[in-house]
Amino acid sequence: MNTKDAIHPNVDITDAQQHQSNSCQESASLTRRRFLQGIAATVATAGAAGFCPVSYAAKGGGGGGGGGGTVTRNPLKIPPIVSPTSYALQAAPATVDIGGGKLSNVLAYNGQFPGPTFRANSGDSANIVFSNGLVDETTVHWHGMLVPTAADGHPRDVVMPGGSYNYQFPIVQRACLNWYHPHPDMMTGEQVALGLAGAFIINDAEEAALGLPSGCYEVPLVIRDTKLDRNNNLTYSAKSSGFLGTIPLVNGTLDPTLDVDTAIYRFRVLCGSNARVFKLVLSNGAQFTLIGNDGGLLSSAVTIGQIEFSPGERLDLLVDFRGLAVGTKVLLQDQNSGWTLLEFNVTRQVNAGGVIPTGTLSSIVPLSNPILTREFSFDGMSRINGNVYDINRIDFQVPFGQTELWRFTTGGNAPHPVHVHGASFQVVSRSGGRGVLYPWEQGWKDTVLLQDGESVDVLVRFDAYRGLYIIHCHKLEHEDMGMMANFEVI
Ligand SMILES: [Cu+2]
């Protein structure tokens, strides 16, 4: 038994591992080892605190995770909203109700799956005391947020089991939906797949002036896939091509349904899968009104029938249920898998259903005149520009405040959702592959999907903080295998 297993008693060993020699695992004991062993993990949580929201079963829809047939639907869970101003956050095993009383062992933030939704205003400060109740080291990365290096959850800044870390940062950016999740070297895929993720919403005055749907009309949707074992526990087995689950979960809810009024809803949508790319459509053929993405509002709303999004990307969508009869069911579906993700059940007629915003939502100042071009080739399943990630190697340096053109290319093994820490970027072109830019790639982004044969150009300027940040593939198995690079803003 190697040292990693010794501190990680809750994993099951698969056949894949038995094919490997134990002796080869010892050197560089934290070097891509867990992944290459092919360990399958579940969560053992004897005595863990339970989280059992009130739940009822509703017949309807007829979609179901796997599609086809009548399914028993469960009310969509909505994570509690908390302030980051002074907050204690713990990652630990927990037992949660994923719907209809089905208890599942997961890894959770504060016993919630997904974790609590942070909500703050631009200009606030976050002071989050994190404690690690896992059996492995972890970090918390605030995906999409501009934070100092020390608060970025860099794999170097690991929090050991039983340890704690104070994440402190001012909230300096515009309104947008971000998220938080673990980012330890080589174990991100496992920890996210087993449940650790939550939303972080920033509001500001510009957004507030638009009068967008709010309160119960603004709903976060954390969309992911998962695989359950025979006891309904979340399970994970790393695959170099990326972990693909067998069923979808929205907000940690199996076969979810949401009762809606005849009104416009604002859905804050996050792709929280390890590797799966979703193509969202509505079953009644209605269009989405896309108003924002990773970095906040677009310059104006876009009406669109289908939207593809990949791990790490976010969408700000309005869906219009006005004019639908009470009793109507509308399904949010994934065209790529054929899954029904979520059922909307129109249950109440209201008179003031809101309005779709027209005109300017926000002014996006385009970046221009890059000083230089950097090329990043996403090679195979574990390398950027030929290099496997080395936590101690600084791969390049970027001058603070300098606009640069970064070109992401790949020969294969996509999807590679490319994610950059420390700044948002603007996507300016895509050649090869799909060959076009999509409406959801306008504005400010921090994650962009790179498919086979594609070359995607983005403009980026690091003008928030100096220090150490990373660029990586957000297919978490590729990240864990080493498709990641350190850079320093100087
Ligand atoms: Cu990749």
Side-chain angles (χ1 to χ4, degrees):
M1 172 172 280
N2 63 44
T3 53
K4 197 63 179 186
D5 290 335
I7 63 164
H8 195 272
N10 292 334
V11 296
D12 299 327
I13 309 299
T14 63
D15 290 340
Q17 188 188 17
Q18 291 164 11
H19 297 153
Q20 302 203 15
S21 153
N22 286 334
S23 61
C24 67
Q25 307 299 337
E26 291 295 340
S27 63
S29 63
L30 289 178
T31 307
R32 324 255 78 85
R33 183 189 55 204
R34 166 78 59 83
F35 186 91
L36 296 170
Q37 286 176 333
I39 290 173
T42 56
V43 186
T45 56
F51 167 60
C52 303
V54 175
S55 180
Y56 66 88
K59 290 281 185 189
T70 300
V71 298
T72 300
R73 294 207 161 268
N74 306 299
L76 179 74
K77 286 195 286 181
I78 308 291
I81 293 174
V82 300
S83 164
T85 303
S86 177
Y87 193 75
L89 184 72
Q90 186 188 40
T95 302
V96 300
D97 184 349
I98 55 172
K102 270 188 185 159
L103 298 181
S104 180
N105 291 340
V106 301
L107 302 180
Y109 289 117
N110 289 12
Q112 309 279 324
F113 171 58
T117 299
F118 288 102
R119 189 185 276 277
N121 289 312
S122 188
D124 289 351
S125 288
N127 185 357
I128 297 165
V129 178
F130 172 72
S131 57
N132 182 2
L134 307 173
V135 296
D136 282 320
E137 62 199 38
T138 192
T139 74
V140 185
H141 170 56
W142 312 91
H143 182 130
M145 302 191 61
L146 301 175
V147 303
T149 290
D152 197 47
H154 190 280
R156 281 189 188 179
D157 296 321
V158 288
V159 187
M160 299 307 287
S164 64
Y165 194 92
N166 192 359
Y167 292 95
Q168 287 183 296
F169 50 91
I171 294 164
V172 296
Q173 65 206 89
R174 65 205 288 263
C176 57
L177 166 65
N178 303 294
W179 61 307
Y180 61 102
H181 64 74
H183 216 307
D185 196 18
M186 292 173 286
M187 288 186 293
T188 296
E190 177 182 320
Q191 292 185 7
V192 172
L194 293 181
L196 290 171
F200 197 128
I201 294 173
I202 301 174
N203 298 117
D204 68 11
E206 178 188 57
E207 175 200 42
L210 294 171
L212 296 168
S214 63
C216 63
Y217 296 115
E218 181 189 10
V219 182
L221 300 179
V222 180
I223 298 176
R224 54 166 292 176
D225 53 350
T226 193
K227 193 171 178 184
L228 302 179
D229 70 12
R230 67 173 71 89
N231 297 315
N232 292 320
N233 298 321
L234 266 61
T235 184
Y236 176 69
S237 50
K239 286 190 171 53
S240 57
S241 57
F243 169 77
L244 292 178
T246 51
I247 53 167
L249 291 176
V250 181
N251 294 354
T253 316
L254 201 59
D255 295 322
T257 184
L258 177 69
D259 288 350
V260 296
D261 296 346
T262 54
I264 298 168
Y265 279 72
R266 182 184 186 191
F267 294 107
R268 315 300 301 270
V269 195
L270 157 62
C271 184
S273 58
N274 279 41
R276 184 177 291 278
V277 177
F278 296 94
K279 187 180 284 183
L280 304 181
V281 295
L282 293 167
S283 62
N284 62 349
Q287 309 248 299
F288 301 104
T289 300
L290 173 74
I291 60 170
N293 55 5
D294 304 358
L297 293 166
L298 303 180
S299 55
S300 59
V302 179
T303 303
I304 187 167
Q306 61 179 45
I307 303 176
E308 194 159 46
F309 78 148
S310 65
E313 294 188 281
R314 285 89 72 204
L315 299 167
D316 198 343
L317 297 178
L318 302 182
V319 176
D320 191 353
F321 299 106
R322 295 174 304 177
L324 298 182
V326 167
T328 303
K329 296 182 193 306
V330 179
L331 306 177
L332 177 66
Q333 297 172 315
D334 169 35
Q335 266 197 341
N336 286 344
S337 62
W339 289 341
T340 289
L341 303 173
L342 172 62
E343 175 195 80
F344 302 111
N345 187 17
V346 181
T347 54
R348 192 171 66 147
Q349 176 78 39
V350 296
N351 291 325
V355 293
I356 299 283
T358 55
T360 301
L361 295 171
S362 180
S363 53
I364 309 279
V365 179
L367 295 174
S368 59
N369 301 320
I371 299 295
L372 59 79
T373 297
R374 291 182 201 271
E375 305 218 7
F376 300 87
S377 171
F378 290 78
D379 306 322
M381 294 177 281
S382 61
R383 295 166 191 270
I384 297 177
N385 292 341
N387 293 319
V388 172
Y389 182 66
D390 179 340
I391 195 168
N392 295 312
R393 184 185 66 226
I394 304 295
D395 293 281
F396 59 102
Q397 292 182 317
V398 183
F400 182 88
Q402 171 170 295
T403 301
E404 302 189 350
L405 189 151
W406 288 14
R407 177 164 296 154
F408 307 136
T409 61
T410 187
N413 300 295
H416 302 296
V418 178
H419 174 48
V420 176
H421 293 211
S424 295
F425 54 72
Q426 295 176 350
V427 187
V428 292
S429 69
R430 171 181 286 112
S431 59
R434 294 169 294 163
V436 295
L437 294 185
Y438 295 92
W440 56 87
E441 296 177 320
Q442 302 174 68
W444 291 100
K445 294 279 291 171
D446 54 61
T447 308
V448 65
L449 177 57
L450 187 62
Q451 289 284 24
D452 282 346
E454 293 185 354
S455 176
V456 173
D457 286 358
V458 308
L459 291 170
V460 65
R461 182 174 64 207
F462 293 85
D463 52 12
Y465 298 101
R466 290 177 168 83
L468 178 66
Y469 293 98
I470 45 186
I471 175 174
H472 64 88
C473 179
H474 217 286
K475 182 190 277 185
L476 298 179
E477 289 68 36
H478 288 184
E479 171 186 332
D480 283 344
M481 285 194 295
M483 191 174 267
M484 182 152 70
N486 285 321
F487 62 92
E488 210 167 35
V489 179
I490 56 170

